[in-house]
Amino acid sequence: MKRSLQFTLIICALCVLARPGFPAQDASPVIAAAAILEKIDQNAVPGSKIMVAAMTIHGRRADRTIKSKSWIEGDDKAFTEYLDPPREKGIKMLKLGDQLWTYTPATDRIIGISGNLLRQSVMGSDLSYEDMMENRKWSDIYEAVEDGEETMLARPCLILRLTARVENVAYHQRRIWVDKDRWLVLKEERYGKSGRLLKTFEVTDVRQFEGRWIQTRALFRDVLKEGNGTEFVIESVDFDAQIPEVVFSKASLRK
Amino acid sequence: MIRFLFKGLIRDRSRILFPFLTVAIGVFLTVGLYCYIKGAEYQIVEFNADLLTGHVKVMTKGYAAESDQAPNDLALTGVGKLVKELKTTFPGMTWAPRIRFGGLLDVPDEAGETKAQGTVAGTAADILTAGSAEIQRLGLENTVVRGRLPAKSGEILIGEILADRLNLEPGGKATFIGSTMNGGMATANFTISGVVRFGVRALDRMGLVMDIADAQAVLDMEDAAGEIPGWRTDGPYERDVIEGIASRFNISASASTDEFTPVMKTLRDQSDLAALLDQLGAVNGAVIAIFILAMSLVLWNSGLIGSLRRYGEIGVRLAMGEPKGGVYRAMLGEAVMIGFLGTIAGTAVALALSYYLQAHGINITGFLKNAAVMLPSVLRSRVTPAAYFIGFIPGILSTLIGTAIAGRGIYKRSTASLFKELET
């Protein structure tokens, strides 16, 4: 859960540190690409953070904005509470490792999200729970090769083509556009095993918080779905915040 | 002449009884089978219309294009007003908004946490309003195998396999998780009032039925519905009438490119029913044609036998000086009369029985208790205008042709050898 905003902006987690000066061009394309992937993985900040974010779902009928606050610790622990609109207010989600629970005040139930539900859309967005749960390092599960260069957001980017080397991955192939200096992923295309494009992710704004570069605005799009995608905006980030352990417990879902 | 022939037939029972009975029974079977097949075809149409398609269905353009996925983000809004307009514009129709939806049913343990989950395919219809015809249309009365129909808000029915898999019995609680019309998370607690055996494996595995008001509340679809099926109240399904209604409604919609514009689809436009009904019509036509052909052969043969039996009588008549043409024409006239009388009798009895079966049907509920498929509980015939004359094909034509062929022998007989033949 380190390179993209997918989890960051939904459960509202993650930010990525800028680590400039990686000598990608010095090695052969495959080795260099693998090293870049390592670098992107290293950019994940394992510390804690509290974030407030907004997710605007551009539906076919209307746009809908959902605000949330998330408490995140490392890769494995995240707690999110939805703040707005009123219908969604009070819904909470807890992620511990590879387990996910949700609580809705309307039912006063803690519901485990697993199996088929993982493939469902999160709050009607273009993201699935499965996308949210991705937390393995890319360098562990993908083989990378360089696939050209392009400028994104006025930043020079390397394009990497990633192919899965393990079976149980949600996306068999990805193409990512990586900022050469900050090692931030600015664009991503996700493909199925058949080679069909399934989802796209494009960063539209990058900002520095407490000296760290993070993607603050991005558009995530399920290309198989009608609509104009889901836009994520990070409104505030508090790095290295002190989060009591009790936040990451099922008891906190009902509070 | 006709009167003379008729008197001859009436007074000689041996000449009329067997051919008349043969024709009457043959025509009765032909007309009866025709009405029964038409009844089965009609029931397939009505069964699909009641359960899924309506005779027509109003949806948004976008919903209609993806109706197999029931995309409620493209649902109709302002349904109350739309139904009123439909009732005014098409007084011979009745309308009932429905919502189809997908989601999960989550069963809690003692601590209120997830014990079991199952995917559901739900149908929401007006099943709580007194006098609503939806329970009957959805065939719920005869399919509840445990518990009862929902009696109040917050109660649902679920498929038998789903209930067994989730270990849910009537009175049990479960939480529905799905998506609202706007894509938000929809959750609500429900009580299982009954377990239903739909007879269709997919429905038994995932089926869920709830009242439309509950669905509107849970799915954030106030005054909205995915679809508004409509059924004729001033007559049965007739393709021309139904297509006329849909064309009238769609005049204003055809020019619009807005995917939220309401459009009306006929039964044939939905769920590949046009191909199915065309195939069914062709098969039924073939079955009826083969049966008519078989009956024609029987009656033709009967005409032949009847004529051959009268070999001696014809010989006498020829020997007495009656012209061959006169004998031949007299025989044809008799064949027409017998065919006509037999056809009238056979058609009358068949129509009487078919009308009875159309009105009352044969109740097969007792046979359906352990049925593996969802079937209509009453089998009915259907009398159509064609049923009044279809019996005339085998009844008159075949008898006439049989007699005409057998009668050719009259012209082959030698007058000189007639007495010799009659002596033996």
Side-chain angles (χ1 to χ4, degrees):
Chain A
M1 83 163 201
K2 37 219 57 88
R3 56 256 154 214
S4 73
L5 280 185
Q6 66 213 26
F7 188 57
T8 313
L9 297 161
I10 276 275
I11 269 199
C12 291
L14 194 77
C15 50
V16 185
L17 272 175
R19 297 201 179 185
F22 191 74
Q25 291 85 344
D26 296 344
S28 74
V30 176
I31 296 168
I36 294 165
L37 216 53
E38 295 255 357
K39 196 74 181 166
I40 296 167
D41 281 336
Q42 284 166 17
N43 266 342
V45 183
S48 61
K49 47 200 154 288
I50 300 173
M51 304 173 71
V52 175
M55 170 170 82
T56 302
I57 301 152
H58 301 292
R60 285 197 274 190
R61 192 176 285 278
D63 290 353
R64 213 161 47 94
T65 299
I66 300 171
K67 266 195 162 187
S68 61
K69 185 174 184 180
S70 298
W71 291 258
I72 301 146
E73 198 160 282
D75 284 347
D76 290 336
K77 294 180 184 174
F79 180 86
T80 297
E81 180 174 1
Y82 290 90
L83 309 172
D84 199 56
R87 194 178 170 95
E88 266 82 20
K89 189 176 178 180
I91 294 177
K92 293 166 190 166
M93 283 188 190
L94 173 67
K95 183 201 168 197
L96 293 176
D98 57 359
Q99 288 186 295
L100 189 65
W101 295 272
T102 185
Y103 169 83
T104 61
T107 59
D108 192 28
R109 288 277 323 277
I110 294 171
I111 295 162
I113 295 178
S114 59
N116 285 338
L117 193 51
L118 284 171
R119 292 187 200 102
Q120 301 294 313
S121 152
V122 180
M123 312 297 279
S125 72
D126 290 60
L127 219 75
S128 67
Y129 291 103
E130 207 168 39
D131 291 326
M132 270 175 63
M133 296 300 287
E134 264 196 328
N135 58 3
R136 284 185 289 179
K137 288 182 176 177
W138 275 354
S139 52
D140 288 346
I141 57 174
Y142 285 108
E143 199 80 62
V145 289
E146 283 188 37
D147 199 18
E149 293 189 15
E150 209 173 293
T151 302
M152 296 285 305
L153 293 175
R155 304 282 308 166
C157 291
L158 282 171
I159 304 171
L160 300 187
R161 186 154 38 83
L162 314 185
T163 306
R165 4 177 232 230
V166 292
E167 277 301 310
N168 56 340
V169 285
Y171 305 99
H172 183 68
Q173 278 200 340
R174 297 175 191 248
R175 280 184 88 209
I176 57 172
W177 281 249
V178 191
D179 185 321
K180 274 169 138 178
D181 298 321
R182 296 170 183 162
W183 306 111
L184 288 175
V185 175
L186 297 183
K187 186 180 171 185
E188 188 189 336
E189 291 172 349
R190 301 177 181 188
Y191 297 86
K193 211 163 189 174
S194 64
R196 186 176 187 184
L197 179 64
L198 301 175
K199 289 181 181 173
T200 62
F201 168 78
E202 192 166 342
V203 175
T204 51
D205 195 20
V206 175
R207 286 189 189 177
Q208 219 171 8
F209 279 88
E210 299 174 18
R212 299 162 175 176
W213 285 101
I214 62 167
Q215 307 103 317
T216 52
R217 185 183 285 270
L219 184 72
F220 196 88
R221 191 150 183 256
D222 181 341
V223 295
L224 303 182
K225 203 173 147 184
E226 294 288 338
N228 297 313
T230 301
E231 194 172 19
F232 300 98
V233 179
I234 292 180
E235 294 183 348
S236 67
V237 189
D238 181 8
F239 287 110
D240 301 323
Q242 290 299 309
I243 305 172
E245 193 55 33
V246 69
V247 169
F248 303 110
S249 69
K250 281 203 226 175
S252 65
L253 286 167
R254 273 208 167 91
K255 276 184 185 167
Chain B
M1 179 66 179
I2 293 170
R3 202 172 165 189
F4 172 74
L5 289 173
F6 186 69
K7 270 186 181 171
L9 283 172
I10 297 294
R11 287 173 185 170
D12 184 358
R13 280 182 59 197
S14 66
R15 248 203 285 171
I16 186 171
L17 193 63
F18 176 69
F20 171 80
L21 285 177
T22 311
V23 172
I25 291 168
V27 169
F28 167 76
L29 290 174
T30 305
V31 176
L33 177 75
Y34 176 80
C35 291
Y36 183 77
I37 286 179
K38 282 288 159 194
E41 193 179 319
Y42 172 78
Q43 278 192 296
I44 288 172
V45 167
E46 290 301 318
F47 191 61
N48 275 287
D50 284 349
L51 209 62
L52 196 66
T53 61
H55 290 157
V56 291
K57 192 191 275 180
V58 178
M59 303 168 268
T60 64
K61 260 189 177 173
Y63 187 102
E66 301 167 26
S67 62
D68 52 330
Q69 293 168 38
N72 284 323
D73 53 339
L74 294 167
L76 293 160
T77 51
V79 165
K81 188 174 165 237
L82 184 56
V83 169
K84 265 186 193 166
E85 284 171 8
L86 286 167
K87 280 179 178 167
T88 311
T89 317
F90 306 105
M93 301 281 293
T94 183
W95 306 89
R98 286 183 186 171
I99 298 172
R100 290 189 292 130
F101 55 93
L104 279 179
L105 206 58
D106 184 282
V107 184
D109 59 14
E110 291 75 18
E113 292 188 26
T114 299
K115 184 173 78 177
Q117 274 181 353
T119 310
V120 292
T123 300
D126 181 9
I127 54 172
L128 290 182
T129 304
S132 167
E134 287 288 76
I135 288 176
Q136 195 191 345
R137 286 196 199 108
L138 293 170
L140 297 177
E141 275 164 332
N142 299 320
T143 48
V144 176
V145 289
R146 296 199 291 276
R148 54 165 175 78
L149 291 170
K152 59 178 193 283
S153 173
E155 293 187 337
I156 54 171
L157 296 169
I158 58 170
E160 192 180 25
I161 298 174
L162 177 69
D164 292 345
R165 192 154 49 84
L166 298 180
N167 204 15
L168 267 173
E169 285 299 322
K173 309 274 183 198
T175 302
F176 169 76
I177 309 158
S179 290
T180 68
M181 183 170 86
N182 300 309
M185 184 186 262
T187 54
N189 293 332
F190 286 98
T191 303
I192 312 302
S193 75
V195 174
V196 179
R197 185 183 299 153
F198 293 102
V200 177
R201 191 168 168 77
L203 286 177
D204 286 338
R205 209 159 45 84
M206 298 198 293
L208 181 152
V209 180
M210 72 168 71
D211 183 60
I212 193 158
D214 281 345
Q216 285 172 325
V218 174
L219 304 175
D220 199 13
M221 294 178 73
E222 195 187 343
D223 200 25
E227 47 200 54
I228 309 174
W231 299 265
R232 275 188 83 188
T233 53
D234 58 355
Y237 170 82
E238 285 174 61
R239 187 177 167 185
D240 295 345
V241 176
I242 290 302
E243 285 179 351
I245 289 170
S247 302
R248 252 176 84 193
F249 183 89
N250 290 331
I251 288 169
S252 56
S254 58
S256 171
T257 54
D258 181 5
E259 61 183 348
F260 294 103
T261 305
V263 289
M264 191 181 280
K265 296 283 179 188
T266 68
L267 176 143
R268 287 177 61 86
D269 296 333
Q270 303 170 58
S271 309
D272 295 327
L273 275 179
L276 177 76
L277 291 176
D278 288 344
Q279 264 182 352
L280 194 68
V283 170
N284 286 351
V287 168
I288 290 167
I290 289 167
F291 189 76
I292 288 174
L293 184 68
M295 283 316 300
S296 297
L297 289 172
V298 169
L299 296 179
W300 177 0
N301 203 32
S302 156
L304 283 168
I305 291 168
S307 300
L308 292 173
R309 275 178 62 231
R310 295 169 66 189
Y311 190 78
E313 176 209 326
I314 290 162
V316 171
R317 286 168 66 176
L318 291 174
M320 288 174 71
E322 195 172 343
K324 287 179 178 174
V327 174
Y328 188 69
R329 281 192 293 276
M331 286 187 66
L332 290 181
E334 284 177 20
V336 169
M337 281 182 208
I338 290 169
F340 185 76
L341 291 174
T343 302
I344 295 289
T347 302
V349 176
L351 287 179
L353 182 67
S354 299
Y355 269 119
Y356 177 81
L357 289 178
Q358 180 175 301
H360 301 286
I362 306 168
N363 195 327
I364 57 163
T365 312
F367 299 104
L368 294 178
K369 283 203 160 44
N370 296 309
V373 292
M374 201 171 182
L375 287 170
S377 56
V378 179
L379 295 181
R380 293 177 195 277
S381 282
R382 179 123 203 103
V383 179
T384 64
Y388 285 86
F389 59 81
I390 198 162
F392 283 83
I393 300 169
I396 295 181
L397 274 182
S398 303
T399 316
L400 185 67
I401 293 168
T403 307
I405 291 170
R408 284 187 312 147
I410 294 169
Y411 291 98
K412 290 178 183 169
R413 294 178 78 171
S414 162
T415 316
S417 60
L418 276 173
F419 286 99
K420 199 177 172 184
E421 280 178 29
L422 291 169
E423 280 169 4
T424 55

